[in-house]
Each structure stands twice: as structure tokens, then as C-alpha cells.
Amino acid sequence: MGSSPGAGHGPGADVASASSAARGRCGTCTWSCASPSRRRARRLRGRARWSCAARAGAAAELRLDAHPSLAVSRAALLPPRPFASYGSALHIALPQPPRAGQLLTLLIDYEAGEGPGVCWLSPEQTAGKQKPYMYTQGQAVLNRSFFPCFDTPSVKFTYSATVKVPEGFTAVMSATSWEKQKDNTFVFKMSQPIPSYLIALVVGDIVSADVGPRSRVWAEPCLIEAAKKEYDGVIEEFLVVGEKLFGPYVWGRYDILFMPPSFPFGGMENPCLTFVTPCLLAGDRSLVDVIIHEISHSWFGNLVTNATWGEFWLNEGFTMYAQRRITTEVYGLPYTCLEAATGRALLRQHMDATGEDHPLNKLRVVIEPGINPDDTYNETPYEKGYCFVSYLAHLVGNQSKFDAFLQAYVNRFKFQSITADDTLGFFLEYFPELKEKGVDSIPGFEFDRWLNTPGWPPYLPDLSPGQQLMRPADELAELWAADSLNMEAIEAVDITGWRTYQLVYFLDQVLQKSPLPEGNLKRLSKMYPKISKAQNAELRLRWCQIILKNNLEAEYSKVKDFLHSQGKQKYTLPLYRAMWGGSEATRALAMETFSATAPQLHVNVQNYVKKILGLAAAEA
Ligand code: BES
Ligand code: ZN
């Protein structure tokens, strides 16, 4: 336990944690809570017990991450001190400086309130509208408002938890085992070391149904049929292919929990129990790429973890690559390239909006003290990260050799937290012939440039195997962008058999060419109800973006309806940006929609929308 936060200096230092943690340190957290507290609504009473070994030269004080919403009643020998806008430090004085290796056990009684990591939903905010619901979302730095902890991905620990809930509620957690005991008490145990951000709890009226030998879906009773139907019999294949490619699946079960509509992410890779948006219930498995993505985190992110949030691309870039490897094995290369092309379009849009040279458009992000790591979230770690991993594969030049490398990489760094230096060092060690050739310093493609220079990826993987699926969509978009429409040619194209991602790709092209010549969009809308009346969230997002870019006032209500129906950050923010960047009318629509929906949005999303609309600072 040194005096500075995180692990000292250099890329391994985590400036986003106030704790006296050190990279690679392990501990155990035993933790119990009663939820919600009987005395007061929306309070989670808890007791955290931390055991950790002291480092040589440790001071007579231990610091944990906490949050102003966390009221510590015991163990806080000193009151919490502010650390950053997104947390505070809980200082615990020790009787004397501990000896190196001495085992310390702390007992901390606390009550978590309405902090950003703990979301309390009223019955109206659930799908069933009958009972309240609470869930936690830890990534990136929110779990410090859930329980006091070393809230840095550089520290891994096992945990166990006892959760007592009111009659008629069920608790689930990201744990390798769980058991229901008497008195509505649930006991959980995570037997593999994980970072704090992967601890997650849900208490609600939820039920489950089996969908595979080691998988079940969880959802509110009114959604369970749809949830089972969406993924029955398909999950196991993804796990088997993942194991074949990347090595053993160490987490035991892989379950999926369908969250209430306001859940801010498509998916969150909480180990053993992925949390997903109910938007995935498209009825046709078309959004299963999110599940494959979260499964891929079982190796990249959850086993091999970024040591700090500045190295987030190690989690997401490798996961995008792994996701597309699994997709290639299961659905083939053309489909995978099509999906990857939609990813590339997202990166293009992001870089156009921010400017390619924006400092967040480097893979290794410099997060200054005081900056909330969650505010650095964008497409670059995902899609530029994917390009860099693809570039490494290209250097190797042989898919099975690169697959073997990925498996060796997971095996080498499993249960550890690492930086890109560790990754790239291991790559060069694994392929000595490449090291000898100096592949890390090929002009224009230097590893250092990939990591530390903002901008468009210097290497893009070849997506031409997807041409057979993309070309018809490209050609159709071209037809609709013409000044005078060639209806004969348009009518000759039958889109009824197109896959969802073909339509998504088509809409991305239309959006890029928008605004279309006057009148074209109205006709397009009429001609393709499959698009303009779609229930699929990915299609609805693009259609809404097109409506706004073309000022198609007749369909503004669709934007409003979509924003009322769900609260995913990646859908919500682009639409508010588009409305705010548009006309008087779209600005008014933005204000009206936000004032009606704000209470049901996750607090982070609320703050980002406020920032877009110029309504008060998000976070200082
Ligand atoms: N781990 C992320 C979600 C996340 C990132 C939460 C940063 C909090 C902070 C998750 O794995 C993810 O990337 N989800 C994507 C899925 C998509 C890329 C298939 C999402 O939510 O859209
Ligand atoms: Zn991810």
C-alpha cells in the first residue's frame, strides 16, 4: 500500500482510483447486504470485509475507493475525503504500519444510497410495471458507490456475498455459485479472482429458463417466454467455438439477464451472468452479435484485464476481434465482414464528429487526474482496437498461427491485469522471427504510432468477402440518392429477404448520403415499411438518424417513441446530438423528449444528454 493511488507511474498507474492498491494485488471480499433496507427505501445496508496482504513499507493508513453516496458507519476512523467528482477516498488508520506480508482484515459497515452505481427503479420503470427493481452497473468506476473497494481494474479478488431480499424478489449476482437459503436469503460465491467492476447485483421480480447445458436466461416474468425463444439452443455453440479458439471457459455457467429498458448498454460482461438490454429481443436472433461479444469478454477483459481505463482497448479491441472470429466460425466470413463494415461506419462517424486528431482517438488514452474514465468512452477502443489486432494477425499471415497466439496470450496473462506493453512484448516474444524483422517499427505502422497517435487506423482489414452482401445495399442506396428516382430500377430490388445487418448497412449508406433530394425519403419510407416501421432497435436507430438528417417532420414522433422505449447510451446520445444540431423544431423535440424521459435514464446517460443540450455541466 503505497502513498500514491494506483500502481505508481507509467502506463500501469491507475489515476482513476484513490485506493492504496497495487497492480497485481489479490484479496478477498466477503460481503453481505440486505436490500432494500427495511427502515428506509432505496438504501442498501451492507458490511464489507476485506482481507489483503500489506506491502513492504506500507503506511499506517489504508485507502479504499468510496463515493459520497456511501454512508460508512463503522471503520471510517477518518471521514471520507473527496478524491474526484466521481468518488472519494475512505481512509482507514491502522494501529501501526503493517509488516510486509501481514494479513489485514477490515470490517466496514455502510449504507449505499442513490449513487451512480446502484440503480433503483420504480415499478413503472420495469417491463412488468408491478414491482420495483434494483441493479448495479460497475464499469468503469461506479462500484465505489456500491461498496467500498479497491476500485481499479489492476486489482483482482474473489468474493462471496449474502443478500437478503424482501418476499417475492430474487437476487442474482456475477458469481460462480449461488444458493437460495431460508428467509429470502441468497448466498453467492465467485471463486475466480476478478476486478471490482465485474461485481454486479440485481434484485427484482425475475425468473429463469434453461437455454443450454450451462446457460439460462433471466428476465421479468412477462419477458421470459420471448427471452427463451430468442436464444434457446444457440448459446452453447458460441461457448464451444470460443473454447476451441481461446481455451477453457473458466466461469462455469454462462447465463443472460434481460434488464429493464433503461439499461444503458447493449450488454455488460458480468462474469457468469451477462446483463443485456431487452432491445435484443428482436424475435429473430438478429442482434446475437452482442451476446457473442459479451461471451468473448470471458477471455478478453474478464480473464486478461486492462490494468487501467487508459488501456480499455485491450478489453474491447481484443473482444471485437474474438467476437468476429467466433462469428466467422459460426456464420461465415461474408456475414462477419458485413457486420464489421457497420462497425467501421460507426468509427467513421465518430472520427468525423470529433476530428481524427482528437486525443481520445488513440488506443492508449491519457486519462488526467480528475477526469472520469467513463467520459472517455467512444468507438476508437472498439474499432481501431479491432484494426490493430487484425494488423497483428496480418503480420503473422496465418489465421491458425494467430489463433494459437491468442490462446497462448490468454493462458499467459489469465487472472492478471496488464498493459499494451505486456501484450506487444508477448507478441514479439511469441513470434521471434517477427521481432527480428522489426515489425514493431515498420514506417507508418509502428506499434508506438498505433498506441499513441490519434487518427484513422493505418491498416484496415479486408472486408471484401462481405461484398456479395454489401454490393446490393450500396447500389440501392445509390439509386435512392439520385436527383430523379429511377423507380423501375428501385422496384427491381427485392429487400424482403435481406438480413437485418444488410438493412443496417443500407441505412448507413443512406445516412451518409443524406439529406437526400427533396421527396426521396418520403417515398423510401412508404416503399419499405420493413424499415420505416421496424421494431428492431438497430434499424430504428438508423431510421431515426435519417429522419433527423432529412428533416422529415412527419416522422419526428418515431424519434420520440424510440427514446421513450429504451435508454441505451449508444442509441440515446447520437439522437440527441442530431436533434440539437438540427432545426428549431428538432431542438424543441429534444427538450420535450428529455424532460419526459430523464427520470428513467441511467444517471450517467442523463448527465451526458444534459451536456449535449447545454443544461448544466455533466461532470466538472
Ligand atoms: N463492457 C462493455 C460495456 C461498457 C463499456 C460498460 C464501458 C461501461 C463502460 C460491453 O462489453 C460492450 O462493449 N457492449 C457493447 C456491445 C457491442 C459492442 C456488441 C454495447 O453495449 O453496445
Ligand atoms: Zn465489450
Side-chain angles (χ1 to χ4, degrees), residues 387-408:
C387 290
F388 187 27
V389 181
S390 303
Y391 175 65
L392 296 176
H394 163 79
L395 287 176
V396 174
N398 174 305
Q399 188 65 61
S400 39
K401 271 195 199 162
F402 191 70
D403 289 346
F405 159 74
L406 288 177
Q407 195 161 140

Side-chain angles (χ1 to χ4, degrees), residues 537-580:
E538 291 292 327
L539 295 176
R540 286 175 86 180
L541 167 69
R542 268 90 179 174
W543 185 245
C544 290
Q545 288 176 303
I546 290 170
I547 290 172
L548 292 169
K549 207 161 169 195
N550 288 277
N551 291 312
L552 190 64
E553 282 192 38
E555 301 200 20
Y556 282 175
S557 63
K558 285 190 179 151
V559 181
K560 191 169 121 185
D561 292 346
F562 184 48
L563 290 171
H564 274 260
S565 73
Q566 54 73 43
K568 181 173 156 177
Q569 179 168 318
K570 279 199 208 170
Y571 296 157
T572 305
L573 302 189
L575 291 177
Y576 277 102
R577 276 191 211 108
M579 285 189 278
W580 202 244

Side-chain angles (χ1 to χ4, degrees), residues 229-247:
K229 216 177 115 227
E230 194 79 28
Y231 293 132
D232 202 9
V234 297
I235 303 300
E236 184 60 18
E237 186 181 4
F238 305 146
L239 295 169
V240 169
V241 173
E243 292 197 277
K244 185 189 86 187
L245 291 171
F246 315 122

Side-chain angles (χ1 to χ4, degrees), residues 14-142:
D14 189 354
V15 299
S17 172
S19 70
S20 46
R23 193 178 152 199
R25 173 183 298 283
C26 266
T28 314
C29 175
T30 320
W31 172 73
S32 72
C33 81
S35 151
S37 129
R38 278 195 204 87
R39 285 174 294 125
R40 283 195 283 160
R42 301 195 159 187
R43 307 292 294 178
L44 192 89
R45 220 160 5 94
R47 164 171 290 186
R49 187 190 171 94
W50 272 105
S51 301
C52 48
R55 256 201 302 171
E61 181 191 70
L62 188 64
R63 285 192 315 275
L64 292 169
D65 286 299
H67 190 273
S69 63
L70 209 66
V72 175
S73 49
R74 194 147 72 106
L77 301 181
L78 301 172
R81 294 177 205 164
F83 158 68
S85 59
Y86 55 89
S88 55
L90 174 60
H91 296 243
I92 297 165
L94 307 177
Q96 70 237 352
R99 282 175 284 108
Q102 184 182 341
L103 206 64
L104 305 170
T105 301
L106 301 171
L107 203 59
I108 307 163
D109 290 332
Y110 70 94
E111 224 176 58
E114 300 204 49
V118 188
C119 304
W120 303 89
L121 307 185
S122 64
E124 302 72 52
Q125 292 169 301
T126 66
K129 314 223 179 292
Q130 303 295 314
K131 294 187 187 175
Y133 195 102
M134 76 81 70
Y135 74 89
T136 68
Q137 162 62 38
Q139 199 177 13
V141 291
L142 306 181

Side-chain angles (χ1 to χ4, degrees), residues 192-214:
Q192 312 280 22
I194 57 167
S196 57
Y197 77 89
L198 291 177
I199 295 189
L201 166 70
V202 160
V203 178
D205 179 15
I206 50 172
V207 292
S208 68
D210 283 338
V211 293
R214 46 184 153 169

Side-chain angles (χ1 to χ4, degrees), residues 234-316:
V234 297
I235 303 300
E236 184 60 18
E237 186 181 4
F238 305 146
L239 295 169
V240 169
V241 173
E243 292 197 277
K244 185 189 86 187
L245 291 171
F246 315 122
Y249 179 81
V250 305
W251 307 100
R253 300 196 59 84
Y254 179 80
D255 296 336
I256 300 170
L257 171 61
F258 288 85
M259 299 294 283
S262 60
F263 186 62
F265 300 103
M268 176 64 217
E269 67 271 25
N270 299 129
C272 311
L273 180 64
T274 284
F275 289 14
V276 296
T277 168
C279 295
L280 297 195
L281 298 173
D284 57 4
R285 298 182 174 168
S286 56
L287 303 181
V288 78
D289 57 297
V290 176
I291 303 290
I292 301 176
H293 177 93
E294 305 313 334
I295 286 177
S296 301
H297 276 304
S298 305
W299 295 271
F300 305 96
N302 296 4
L303 263 188
V304 181
T305 308
N306 51 213
T308 77
W309 296 117
E311 307 268 337
F312 183 54
W313 80 274
L314 283 181
N315 276 18
E316 296 301 341

